[in-house]
């Protein structure tokens, strides 16, 4: 609440530091996205700025998202990045509240789904966000890079993990067979 008061009306969301229950803590990890929608650590002029809120702990003003902050089309991964794009499109900031910490169990995330389903949702949701938020000229320029990313995910799955192969292939098939859904979603977001 203090962070909302400090930042005022340009605040889109306030998030907390997320610490892993096990492993090395890095509270500022993955605070932005690269061109392929993969999380990375970026350096902003203000160290409290984030591109997207941590999906497990954040607050948004109710008037910004009266229907709720998450889209019903997303499940298990990527919904925090998609929310970050929506907040950025609204010309607002995502800020980390100093001193607010959440401890997240890394192993709790898959919700007991088969491994290929987890891979499916993570890949599909990442591409849905890129395909709906990026402008047409940006997508055209990124098409070769997206194709290489897709190819290497499939190749990595072929050699390292059948679950990754099946999940990625299923996600690509879903995207390929739902052009009408993607077009409608792009029109909603791009206007």
């Amino acid at each position: 609440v203090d962070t909302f008061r400090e930042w005022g009306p340009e605040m889109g969301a306030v998030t907390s530091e997320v610490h892993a229950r096990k492993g090395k803590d890095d509270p500022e990890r993955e605070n932005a996205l690269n061109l392929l929608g993969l999380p990375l650590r970026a350096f902003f002029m203000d160290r409290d700025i984030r591109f997207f809120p941590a999906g497990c702990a954040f607050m948004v003003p109710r008037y910004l998202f009266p229907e709720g902050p998450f889209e019903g089309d997303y499940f298990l991964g990527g919904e925090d990045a998609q929310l970050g794009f929506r907040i950025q499109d609204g010309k607002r900031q995502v800020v980390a509240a100093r001193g607010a910490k959440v401890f997240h169990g890394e192993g709790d995330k898959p919700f007991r789904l088969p491994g290929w389903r987890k891979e499916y949702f993570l890949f599909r949701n990442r591409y849905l966000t890129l395909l709906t938020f990026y402008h047409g000229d940006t997508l055209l320029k990124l098409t070769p890079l997206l194709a290489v990313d897709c190819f290497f995910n499939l190749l990595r799955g072929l050699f390292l993990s059948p679950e990754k192969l099946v999940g990625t292939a299923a996600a690509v098939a879903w995207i390929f067979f739902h052009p009408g859904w993607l077009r409608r979603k792009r029109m909603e977001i791009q206007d």
Side-chain angles (χ1 to χ4, degrees):
V1 173
D2 290 340
T3 304
F4 273 114
R5 287 186 187 129
E6 178 184 334
W7 281 80
E10 73 255 17
M11 171 68 70
V14 63
T15 189
S16 65
E17 295 177 1
V18 178
H19 293 268
R21 284 193 192 150
K22 51 189 166 191
K24 192 171 102 175
D25 277 341
D26 184 2
E28 295 180 16
R29 71 185 192 278
E30 301 177 349
N31 58 358
L33 301 170
N34 68 12
L35 288 174
L36 296 173
L38 296 167
L40 61 88
R41 183 175 181 167
F43 298 94
F44 295 100
M45 294 299 284
D46 186 323
R47 68 181 272 287
D48 295 329
I49 298 292
R50 304 287 185 269
F51 182 82
F52 60 94
C56 62
F58 67 93
M59 290 178 12
V60 294
R62 183 176 289 273
Y63 64 85
L64 288 181
F65 304 104
E67 73 288 349
F70 293 130
E71 294 276 330
D73 302 312
Y74 283 72
F75 172 72
L76 187 69
E79 64 278 354
D80 48 356
Q82 195 260 5
L83 178 60
F85 271 98
R86 289 170 61 203
I87 291 169
Q88 302 299 325
D89 276 355
K91 307 286 189 261
R92 296 179 183 273
Q93 296 288 333
V94 176
V95 179
R98 290 184 200 110
K101 295 180 185 177
V102 169
F103 294 90
H104 188 272
E106 298 295 326
D108 300 342
K109 194 171 186 176
F111 302 116
R112 296 187 177 103
L113 286 176
W116 74 270
R117 293 283 289 171
K118 176 185 166 198
E119 294 295 336
Y120 164 79
F121 283 116
L122 292 174
F123 188 88
R124 185 197 75 145
N125 292 352
R126 178 167 63 96
Y127 270 64
L128 289 183
T129 299
L130 300 178
L131 293 171
T132 54
F133 279 92
Y134 281 170
H135 293 281
D137 57 337
T138 304
L139 275 177
L140 190 60
K141 291 174 187 173
L142 287 178
T143 296
L145 190 58
L146 294 170
V148 168
D149 175 61
C150 183
F151 174 74
F152 277 112
N153 269 288
L154 290 168
L155 195 62
R156 191 172 26 181
L158 183 63
F159 290 108
L160 299 176
S161 166
E163 294 173 337
K164 186 170 212 45
L165 176 64
V166 171
T168 303
V172 170
W174 189 96
I175 291 166
F176 182 77
F177 287 110
H178 289 85
W181 182 93
L182 281 168
R183 191 171 27 260
R184 278 191 307 277
K185 200 61 145 171
R186 278 184 64 77
M187 288 174 62
E188 286 174 21
I189 291 168
Q190 298 289 327
D191 63 5

